[in-house]
Amino acid sequence: AIGEAKLKIDNAAFGEVINYARHVCYRTNAPKRTKVLLYDKDEFWMVRATLGEITSVIISRWDSAGSMKNLVSFFQEGRSPWVLLLVAACDRWNLEVQNDAFMGKGTFGRVFRGAYQGEGGRRTFKALKLVLPGDDGAGGLDLFREKESLVNAAKVLPNAVARVDDFHDFGNLGAALLLADLGSEVPQTQWRELFETLGALHQQNILHGDPRLANAICVQGE
């Protein structure tokens, strides 16, 4: 989206917005649809354009009821559902993510690296697993079951299972699982230790559905 501030919105200001929309579509790999926010101290105009032509203009005053909600919806329109869910999870747990936050994906869900700033400014990194709603809320239910399995397994073998910080269902956005330890990749040379850990879990009737090195982390050397 493009933002343009004016002391007072008039015909000349709107004419500039029309030119912006037309020029944007001529760029290499330009998006078919463009959004422009034109605003002054009293009101804001939410302008949508397709292939350089204005298709809609919605005008709202800053002090109107629901104006902030409409503005947020304007900016979030067309964004990936993964981005919307990630933003909601970061807001809930006060996490920050960088451009390289994506860590991978599995059978269902995606995992991101989030930074949390605690007391004294100390930053710690946590793993954040997200799932979209799925059919009949199956995604969130599957993630909740995963959380329960991790919590129960940690009670038996606390040094062999990633610790769960929190779980939250964001309704139509999806669900998120926050893990206390980000850890690091397990070296290929430590496959024997991985099998020993799995063996210890199996002795407690705890099974892992996808026991690969990619699904294991090393925390404080263990």
Side-chain angles (χ1 to χ4, degrees):
I2 301 172
E4 178 69 16
K6 295 295 182 182
L7 292 176
K8 183 64 178 178
I9 297 177
D10 53 20
N11 290 337
F14 186 56
E16 290 181 17
V17 168
I18 294 175
N19 286 331
Y20 289 156
R22 288 177 175 172
H23 281 85
V24 166
C25 74
Y26 294 137
R27 296 181 309 174
T28 303
N29 299 323
K32 293 182 179 180
R33 295 178 177 84
T34 306
K35 293 183 291 185
V36 182
L37 179 68
L38 176 64
Y39 62 96
D40 60 23
K41 63 183 181 63
D42 298 315
E43 63 185 16
F44 58 92
W45 296 23
M46 295 173 286
V47 183
R48 295 176 176 84
T50 300
L51 295 177
E53 298 298 326
I54 304 300
T55 56
S56 72
V57 179
I58 300 176
I59 302 174
S60 178
R61 292 187 58 84
W62 292 107
D63 56 3
S64 298
S67 62
M68 289 299 99
K69 182 179 180 181
N70 292 335
L71 184 59
V72 171
S73 297
F74 174 71
F75 280 112
Q76 291 186 343
E77 181 182 80
R79 298 178 73 182
S80 162
W82 291 107
V83 172
L84 298 178
L85 179 56
L86 179 61
V87 170
C90 288
D91 286 344
R92 178 175 179 81
W93 291 309
N94 296 319
L95 299 174
E96 296 180 1
V97 294
Q98 303 298 326
N99 291 335
D100 59 349
F102 178 68
M103 298 179 64
K105 60 182 179 179
T107 304
F108 73 102
R110 299 185 180 185
V111 180
F112 296 84
R113 176 175 57 251
Y116 173 78
Q117 186 165 327
E119 297 181 1
R122 181 174 178 271
R123 285 165 60 89
T124 58
F125 292 92
K126 299 176 181 290
L128 181 64
K129 183 170 184 178
L130 307 179
V131 297
L132 296 181
D135 297 330
D136 300 322
L141 181 59
D142 287 341
L143 190 60
F144 177 78
R145 289 170 175 165
E146 180 176 333
K147 185 268 292 187
E148 291 292 288
S149 296
L150 287 171
V151 170
N152 293 331
K155 293 177 181 178
V156 179
L157 292 170
N159 294 329
V161 181
R163 294 182 297 118
V164 173
D165 258 4
D166 200 6
F167 167 87
H168 188 74
D169 191 331
F170 291 92
N172 293 333
L173 290 178
L177 178 65
L178 183 65
L179 300 178
D181 302 311
L182 177 63
S184 58
E185 293 183 2
V186 176
Q188 294 279 350
T189 55
Q190 290 188 261
W191 61 268
R192 186 181 299 278
E193 288 86 341
L194 177 60
F195 278 110
E196 290 175 351
T197 300
L198 287 172
L201 290 171
H202 291 171
Q203 289 178 4
Q204 301 295 330
N205 294 320
I206 300 173
L207 304 180
H208 193 295
D210 190 12
R212 295 180 293 120
L213 281 175
N215 290 329
I217 59 174
C218 186
V219 178
Q220 296 180 352
E222 299 183 358

